[in-house]
Amino acid sequence: AQTIHQWPVAEIKAVGSPLSLGCTIKGKSSPNLYWYWQATGGTLQQLFYSITVGQVESVVQLNLSASRPKDDQFILSTEKLLLSHSGFYLCAWSPGLGDYAEQFFGPGTRLTVL
Amino acid sequence: GDSVTQTEGLVTLTEGLPVMLNCTYQTIYSNPFLFWYVQHLNESPRLLLKSFTDNKRTEHQGFHATLHKSSSSFHLQKSSAQLSDSALYYCALTSGGNYKPTFGKGTSLVVHP
């Protein structure tokens, strides 16, 4: 069975500090990977997606960047946090099978920027 | 590009009444795939329903939806709302081999006694 793990579970950071959030998928090779952001009480916002190692497409950047260093790993980062970065960050994967594949979401990372 | 439009904002219902959350979509492709995801408070979204077959009803956990390509719709329905149905519901679309699904803005459903 496939599992998706996100780290950290929660983070409190200062404005201007760097950030790195991670996501790992086990049990599935070559998944499509996605990062989403959700403001508190807000709607899902797609940030990035990747269909293969080393290749990341930006949907909405929000002064963030993403990388896929390994087939099963997706990293979201920034060198300088803004207050507006606070929220819930979700990693998701789908099988590389095309349109019919649903998205499987990780447990998320809750970020508070002070 | 693709787009998905959902019932805006907040829907408030009394327990036992029927649920209907609207979803319409736009795509240039003739074989869209439609999804409903549900997100309960402090949880991640999970798939509720999906369909790619025109005019075929799909059901899960008491909810049902039918993809109607003629009207570009995939409305979510349930005959009787329960308190536990209170959640955020997202309609999503994939089409044309695009790896990036298009999500609607979400509809927040609140069911009260």
Side-chain angles (χ1 to χ4, degrees), chain B residues 6-80:
Chain B
Q6 295 185 231
T7 302
E8 290 272 332
L10 177 66
V11 171
T12 306
L13 281 175
T14 302
E15 190 178 16
L17 290 181
V19 177
M20 177 139 167
L21 304 183
N22 289 340
C23 172
T24 56
Y25 64 89
Q26 284 191 317
T27 179
I28 63 171
Y29 297 98
S30 58
N31 294 310
F33 292 78
L34 275 295
F35 305 81
W36 275 104
Y37 291 86
V38 59
Q39 184 180 20
H40 287 94
L41 190 63
N42 295 323
E43 294 182 6
S44 302
R46 61 174 175 83
L47 182 71
L48 182 58
L49 293 170
K50 64 181 178 182
S51 180
F52 66 98
T53 306
D54 199 12
N55 298 318
K56 182 180 177 183
R57 174 169 159 147
T58 182
E59 298 189 41
H60 187 60
Q61 294 184 334
F63 287 90
H64 62 92
T66 304
L67 175 58
H68 291 296
K69 292 183 183 180
S70 59
S71 57
S72 299
S73 67
F74 191 57
H75 304 321
L76 182 67
Q77 298 182 69
K78 188 178 185 186
S79 58
S80 175

Side-chain angles (χ1 to χ4, degrees), chain A:
Chain A
Q2 301 86 9
T3 59
I4 178 168
H5 174 58
Q6 286 189 243
W7 73 91
V9 172
E11 187 93 269
I12 299 175
K13 302 276 280 185
V15 169
S17 62
L19 175 77
S20 182
L21 304 181
C23 172
T24 300
I25 291 84
K26 295 299 180 189
K28 178 62 186 173
S29 61
S30 305
N32 298 332
L33 298 175
Y34 306 82
W35 277 112
Y36 292 86
W37 171 75
Q38 190 174 38
T40 302
T43 190
L44 274 180
Q45 174 73 66
Q46 284 186 5
L47 300 176
F48 301 92
Y49 70 99
S50 170
I51 61 173
T52 192
V53 175
Q55 192 174 342
V56 176
E57 300 293 331
S58 170
V59 180
V60 174
Q61 282 193 313
L62 299 182
N63 293 305
L64 297 165
S65 61
S67 64
R68 187 170 176 176
K70 301 179 190 176
D71 186 54
D72 63 352
Q73 196 174 79
F74 207 19
I75 306 295
L76 184 71
S77 59
T78 182
E79 292 186 2
K80 227 174 184 180
L81 278 166
L82 307 172
L83 284 174
S84 57
H85 284 135
S86 291
F88 195 39
Y89 288 84
L90 288 156
C91 180
W93 71 274
S94 70
L97 299 176
D99 293 343
Y100 195 62
E102 68 187 84
Q103 301 242 309
F104 297 89
F105 288 85
T109 294
R110 203 160 293 280
L111 174 67
T112 303
V113 182
L114 302 173

